[in-house]
Amino acid sequence: VEVRAADGLIAYLPLFFVPAGIGIIAYVPQLLAEWLPITLGLFLSWLVALLVTGAVATLFVRGRTPAVRKGRS
């Protein structure tokens, strides 16, 4: 017996993409007029998320390394 758990979700997948696509089409003139702030905002938010994730990962690794060396977990 094969269980296809995602089949129910795949049937509703267009419900997530169609509204977004229609929104983009409806606001093309505004997107073209505001492309620079949108692009900068997307890039800067991506960069901040990347840096914060790296900093948190570094803190976890540094905080855990001495305990692992001493044989504790």
Side-chain angles (χ1 to χ4, degrees), residues 7-49:
D7 285 346
L9 294 173
I10 291 174
Y12 296 104
L13 201 57
L15 293 175
F16 294 109
F17 291 104
V18 170
I22 291 172
I24 290 172
I25 291 170
Y27 289 100
V28 165
Q30 187 172 358
L31 291 172
L32 290 175
E34 305 279 341
W35 71 270
L36 185 60
I38 292 170
T39 304
L40 287 175
L42 287 171
F43 177 74
L44 291 176
S45 64
W46 167 80
L47 185 63
V48 167

